[in-house]
Amino acid sequence: MTINYPQGTNLTANSITKKGPTIFGDRGMTLEQEINESNAYYRSHKVAVIYKKPTPIQIVKVDYPKRSRAVIKEAYFRQASTTDYNGVYQGHYIDFEAKETRHKRSFPLSNFHEHQIQHLDSCLQQAGICFAIIKFVTLQRYFVLPAQVLIDFWQSAIKGGKKSIPLAFIEKKSLEIKAGYNPILPYLDICRQLINQTGENHG
Amino acid sequence: MTINYPQGTNLTANSITKKGPTIFGDRGMTLEQEINESNAYYRSHKVAVIYKKPTPIQIVKVDYPKRSRAVIKEAYFRQASTTDYNGVYQGHYIDFEAKETRHKRSFPLSNFHEHQIQHLDSCLQQAGICFAIIKFVTLQRYFVLPAQVLIDFWQSAIKGGKKSIPLAFIEKKSLEIKAGYNPILPYLDICRQLINQTGENHG
């Protein structure tokens, strides 16, 4: 079950003020929380406008009590057609999926869905800046894996190749996110590198 | 209550094949349906990747029946922090809100929420292509109103100015969407004009 936290909620107000040395990643936050908080930082500092999309819900039954707000009484989670995050950063369309794993040596492709890969591919074709943020929870390491690398690996897996991306491959083909306080996960620094590598190809 | 239709659903399969001359706009579709269908067309023809965001829901109670999918038993509609639609079109970030009115001479600003105006402003600052699609239902006319015009009008209303945008003003300051079949609402033609007017200002 996915809860969408209210926008702008500072989830780590306590963890930031706790005593002793704070180790990056030692906050007990999920990757989603870390990204949401980073996005709130980016928005409030006018660096970028990036949001997590709401979880799509199929609504079946709604009650409209008098003098009270509507209550959804029956609904189901739906598969999203897209990635979870998108937005705009200095004229660039940003689109990414975020996944975490407790594996230590590789990242299983089964964490992704076919439609997410297809969506990233479609957005790449429109000159979007597309990637996956991968967190190795036990290693406390975060990588920005360019979408094209992920798509190529996915295609190769379909043809019988490896079903899991080795850490060594990720280390080689991604950009690692360095520790930060403001924001916690300064992934747009990496985006900037991706943009510079890609060059300007806006239509 | 807002229902999110499954992506790619062709809502007008019947109306398109019905007998007699089909008049643009004479399909009994809501503006949301018209835009969703146009977006599906744009995606399938690789013109752009633009989606309506799911309605944000606050989930309170979920049942996990055995051998069956999770059922949401209590949830509430939440106010969205952003506009309803965003995506990427040939390297450009696209962000817009869609509103329809049955008024014939003006468009009441009360159709918009403060946070939508603020979001459009934030996205404009990031060099996004931002606007509102306004449908005058009874007139069967559709306009693309640039976000800056909307924001200026909103600011003026706060200071005691008009609370409703006169049609004549919209005619003067927006670009009207011309009738279409594929897609039904070819609003990206208008986007192209906005982009050309704005010039290239990507960072």
Side-chain angles (χ1 to χ4, degrees):
Chain A
M1 174 179 150
T2 303
I3 298 285
N4 293 307
Y5 294 90
Q7 306 296 349
T9 303
N10 189 347
L11 295 163
T12 53
N14 292 328
S15 54
I16 284 171
T17 55
K18 74 185 179 189
K19 287 171 192 168
T22 302
I23 300 154
F24 176 61
D26 183 30
R27 295 181 180 88
M29 291 172 80
T30 65
L31 179 58
E32 179 179 329
Q33 289 169 338
E34 290 166 327
I35 293 172
N36 286 351
E37 211 175 281
S38 300
N39 285 344
Y41 175 90
Y42 282 137
R43 286 196 302 271
S44 66
H45 288 74
K46 299 185 185 301
V47 177
V49 180
I50 299 168
Y51 281 93
K52 180 175 189 296
K53 292 181 192 169
T55 306
I57 305 284
Q58 173 104 39
I59 296 162
V60 176
K61 191 178 156 199
V62 184
D63 276 5
Y64 298 91
K66 278 183 186 170
R67 275 184 268 275
S68 181
R69 55 203 282 233
V71 189
I72 298 161
K73 302 294 277 183
E74 185 185 351
Y76 299 89
F77 295 102
R78 287 201 300 124
Q79 182 87 301
S81 313
T82 66
T83 48
D84 273 352
Y85 301 88
N86 77 350
V88 59
Y89 168 53
Q90 297 176 14
H92 298 278
Y93 175 75
I94 305 294
D95 197 298
F96 63 98
E97 187 60 36
K99 300 286 188 191
E100 54 189 359
T101 184
R102 301 200 76 84
H103 287 237
K104 290 175 188 171
R105 295 175 182 280
S106 70
F107 187 86
L109 281 181
S110 55
N111 281 283
F112 289 97
H113 302 292
E114 172 90 35
H115 62 86
Q116 292 171 332
I117 305 293
Q118 286 170 352
H119 175 76
L120 287 170
D121 193 29
S122 299
C123 290
L124 269 187
Q125 290 176 38
Q126 294 296 328
I129 305 300
C130 309
F131 51 91
I133 295 181
I134 290 177
K135 177 181 182 180
F136 284 89
V137 177
T138 47
L139 306 177
Q140 285 297 331
R141 294 180 71 181
Y142 303 76
F143 296 94
V144 170
L145 183 66
Q148 193 59 60
V149 176
L150 176 61
I151 293 162
D152 291 346
F153 207 97
W154 182 274
Q155 296 297 347
S156 154
I158 289 172
K159 291 170 189 158
K162 284 182 182 166
K163 308 296 183 204
S164 202
I165 316 177
L167 175 59
F169 182 89
I170 291 173
E171 286 175 326
K172 193 176 161 194
K173 296 285 192 177
S174 335
L175 294 158
E176 189 161 2
I177 307 176
K178 301 291 173 227
Y181 279 106
N182 288 312
I184 288 174
L185 216 58
Y187 69 91
L188 286 182
D189 297 352
I190 309 292
C191 269
R192 176 46 58 192
Q193 293 181 54
L194 286 181
I195 291 164
N196 293 342
Q197 283 172 16
T198 310
E200 295 292 342
N201 50 359
H202 293 283
Chain B
M1 177 179 146
T2 303
I3 298 285
N4 293 307
Y5 294 90
Q7 305 296 348
T9 302
N10 189 346
L11 296 164
T12 54
N14 293 328
S15 54
I16 285 170
T17 54
K18 73 185 177 188
K19 287 171 191 167
T22 302
I23 299 153
F24 176 62
D26 183 30
R27 294 182 180 86
M29 291 173 79
T30 65
L31 179 57
E32 180 178 328
Q33 289 168 340
E34 290 165 326
I35 293 173
N36 286 351
E37 212 176 279
S38 300
N39 286 343
Y41 175 90
Y42 282 137
R43 287 195 303 271
S44 66
H45 288 74
K46 300 185 186 298
V47 177
V49 180
I50 298 170
Y51 281 93
K52 182 177 189 294
K53 293 181 192 170
T55 304
I57 304 284
Q58 173 105 38
I59 296 162
V60 175
K61 192 176 157 199
V62 184
D63 275 6
Y64 298 91
K66 280 182 186 170
R67 276 183 268 276
S68 181
R69 58 203 279 234
V71 190
I72 299 161
K73 302 294 276 184
E74 185 186 351
Y76 299 89
F77 295 103
R78 286 203 298 125
Q79 182 87 300
S81 312
T82 67
T83 48
D84 272 353
Y85 301 88
N86 78 351
V88 59
Y89 167 54
Q90 298 176 15
H92 297 278
Y93 174 76
I94 305 293
D95 197 297
F96 64 98
E97 186 60 37
K99 300 286 187 191
E100 53 189 1
T101 185
R102 302 200 76 83
H103 287 237
K104 291 175 186 171
R105 296 177 181 278
S106 69
F107 188 85
L109 281 181
S110 56
N111 281 282
F112 290 96
H113 303 292
E114 172 90 35
H115 62 85
Q116 292 171 333
I117 304 293
Q118 286 170 351
H119 176 75
L120 287 170
D121 193 29
S122 300
C123 291
L124 269 187
Q125 290 176 38
Q126 294 296 327
I129 305 298
C130 309
F131 51 92
I133 296 181
I134 290 177
K135 176 181 182 180
F136 284 88
V137 177
T138 46
L139 307 177
Q140 286 298 330
R141 294 181 71 182
Y142 304 75
F143 296 93
V144 169
L145 183 66
Q148 193 60 61
V149 177
L150 175 61
I151 293 162
D152 291 346
F153 207 97
W154 183 273
Q155 296 297 345
S156 155
I158 289 172
K159 291 171 188 158
K162 285 182 181 167
K163 309 296 183 202
S164 201
I165 316 177
L167 175 59
F169 183 88
I170 292 173
E171 287 175 327
K172 192 176 161 193
K173 297 285 193 178
S174 336
L175 294 158
E176 189 161 1
I177 306 176
K178 301 290 174 228
Y181 280 108
N182 288 310
I184 287 174
L185 214 58
Y187 69 92
L188 287 181
D189 296 352
I190 309 291
C191 269
R192 176 46 61 193
Q193 293 181 54
L194 285 181
I195 291 164
N196 293 343
Q197 283 172 16
T198 310
E200 296 290 344
N201 50 2
H202 292 286

